[in-house]
């Protein structure tokens, strides 16, 4: 994913509307992973619990893991409200709080792709997945609204705040989580074989402006706004960012009378070879 010049705190703002819009993708990936009754399922980067709760509803022993404390709380509350047995833990892809070889199914829906050290995250996923188990993650393919907004905002923030110190040659290498050859190579290092399939989901709104307004409470937007608020010219910077985002989403709009965009995504399935 695009590097952000500011820290991204997924507990900020309101992730919930985005979580709702991504629920159909968790439904697809959980259905692909059936049968789940009695299986131990880990949902890495569970957010508000979409995939873990769907797995629990199918009889899995589900554990959700996420670094964002507020989202973990929301997921726990949802489990109670729905009468589902699911455990939700604070944790990160770099150190998944799960014993070695205990996950029959490890899911990560648009989540592990945010881990700063992809290689460490893959090592951890390989460690916790049982022999014969499966890892299934999703990743955006460049071109849709999700990656476009992320890229445009990331570049803008890097222009405003600088892209940080001179790149450290020892720093972890970013991974193109949608790219089959890159994934094959990255997962093979940890003894995993990979298959990739592409799908598409559509997002609609009454206009590009409404789409961006609805995204205004997303944790990325709130993190960016908080960082810009520290600048004396914050009002102008916020207006400039809004203008760039509007131009970018107008360019990818497929419906001249309203707003529709196709977001292509990869479903990556990995198994111990
Ligand atoms: C786009 S949300 C997806 C949430 C959920 N899987 C869903 O489908 O709604 C990305 C999630 O990844 C989590 N995340 C970010 N960095 C992470 C990391 N290093 N390790 C694990 N999860 C991470 C965020 O806290 C957030 O909940």
């Amino acid at each position: 994913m695009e590097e952000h010049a500011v820290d991204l705190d997924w507990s900020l703002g309101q992730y919930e509307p985005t979580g709702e819009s991504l629920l159909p993708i968790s439904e697809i990936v959980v259905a692909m992973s059936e049968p789940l009754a009695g299986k131990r399922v880990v949902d890495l980067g569970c957010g508000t619990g979409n995939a873990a709760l769907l797995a629990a509803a199918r009889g899995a022993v589900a554990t959700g893991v996420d670094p964002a404390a507020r989202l973990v709380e929301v997921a726990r509350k949802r489990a109670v409200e729905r009468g589902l047995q699911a455990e939700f833990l604070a944790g990160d892809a770099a150190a998944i709080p799960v014993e070695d070889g205990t996950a029959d199914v490890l899911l990560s829906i648009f989540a592990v792709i945010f881990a700063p050290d992809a290689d460490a995250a893959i090592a951890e996923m390989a460690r916790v997945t049982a022999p014969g188990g499966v890892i299934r993650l999703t990743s955006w393919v460049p071109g849709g609204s999700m990656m476009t907004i992320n890229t445009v905002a990331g570049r803008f923030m890097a222009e405003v705040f600088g892209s940080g110190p001179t790149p450290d040659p020892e720093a972890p290498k970013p991974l193109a989580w949608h790219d089959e050859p890159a994934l094959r190579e990255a997962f093979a290092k940890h003894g995993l074989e990979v298959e990739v399939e592409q799908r598409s989901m559509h997002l609609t709104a009454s206009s590009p402006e409404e789409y961006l307004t609805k995204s205004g409470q997303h944790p990325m937007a709130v993190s960016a706004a908080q960082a810009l608020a520290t600048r004396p010219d914050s009002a102008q910077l916020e207006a400039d960012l809004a203008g760039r985002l509007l131009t970018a989403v107008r360019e990818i709009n497929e419906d001249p009378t309203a707003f529709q965009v196709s977001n292509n995504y990869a479903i990556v399935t990995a198994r111990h070879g």
Side-chain angles (χ1 to χ4, degrees), residues 204-219:
T204 56
S206 62
S207 65
E209 288 82 353
E210 193 215 26
Y211 175 68
L212 284 176
T213 303
K214 283 201 300 194
S215 313
Q217 284 305 304
H218 188 283

Side-chain angles (χ1 to χ4, degrees), residues 1-272:
M1 302 297 290
E2 186 78 9
E3 282 298 314
H4 274 261
V6 295
D7 287 339
L8 171 54
D9 178 354
W10 286 88
S11 286
L12 288 176
Q14 283 292 304
Y15 174 71
E16 286 84 336
T18 305
E20 280 306 304
S21 69
L22 297 183
L23 183 59
I25 298 176
S26 273
E27 279 163 355
I28 289 168
V29 175
V30 167
M32 282 171 80
S33 308
E34 288 269 39
L36 287 172
K39 297 265 177 72
R40 298 159 300 176
V41 174
V42 172
D43 179 8
L44 177 60
C46 61
T48 49
N50 278 354
L53 293 171
L54 289 168
R58 286 164 166 79
V61 180
T63 302
V65 174
D66 201 285
R70 190 186 78 77
L71 301 187
V72 169
E73 269 314 308
V74 172
R76 281 187 188 136
K77 202 164 151 236
R78 287 185 174 177
V80 172
E81 283 164 4
R82 296 175 197 181
L84 293 169
Q85 290 292 327
E87 178 185 34
F88 289 96
L89 305 172
D92 191 282
I96 304 173
V98 171
E99 297 289 313
D100 294 6
T102 53
D104 299 306
V105 180
L106 185 142
L107 305 175
S108 190
I109 311 300
F110 304 111
V112 69
I113 56 174
F114 292 101
D117 186 341
D119 187 56
I122 295 169
E124 274 295 274
M125 293 193 290
R127 177 185 67 76
V128 304
T129 305
V134 64
I135 297 167
R136 203 161 263 134
L137 64 94
T138 60
S139 173
W140 298 115
V141 172
S145 59
M146 302 291 188
M147 278 195 70
T148 297
I149 288 180
N150 185 257
T151 303
V152 170
R155 285 196 186 134
F156 183 84
M157 299 306 278
E159 279 171 33
V160 173
F161 294 100
S163 40
T166 317
D168 172 1
E170 301 297 315
K173 301 237 174 333
L175 174 64
W177 286 95
H178 61 280
D179 182 68
E180 188 160 358
L183 286 162
R184 258 203 236 112
E185 190 184 332
F187 278 73
K189 278 198 234 161
H190 301 283
L192 295 162
E193 288 172 1
V194 166
E195 285 165 43
V196 181
E197 80 177 79
Q198 261 198 41
R199 303 230 182 163
S200 194
M201 59 95 81
H202 303 281
L203 289 175
T204 56
S206 62
S207 65
E209 288 82 353
E210 193 215 26
Y211 175 68
L212 284 176
T213 303
K214 283 201 300 194
S215 313
Q217 284 305 304
H218 188 283
M220 283 186 187
V222 177
S223 296
Q226 284 194 353
L228 292 177
T230 63
R231 294 279 306 239
D233 50 349
S234 60
Q236 184 59 52
L237 289 171
E238 279 184 36
D240 290 348
L241 174 57
R244 282 209 211 169
L245 290 172
L246 187 55
T247 303
V249 297
R250 279 183 178 147
E251 274 168 16
I252 56 171
N253 184 14
E254 296 158 5
D255 179 353
T257 64
F259 181 73
Q260 178 180 303
V261 67
S262 308
N263 276 291
N264 294 333
Y265 64 97
I267 301 178
V268 180
T269 301
R271 293 185 171 86
H272 290 282

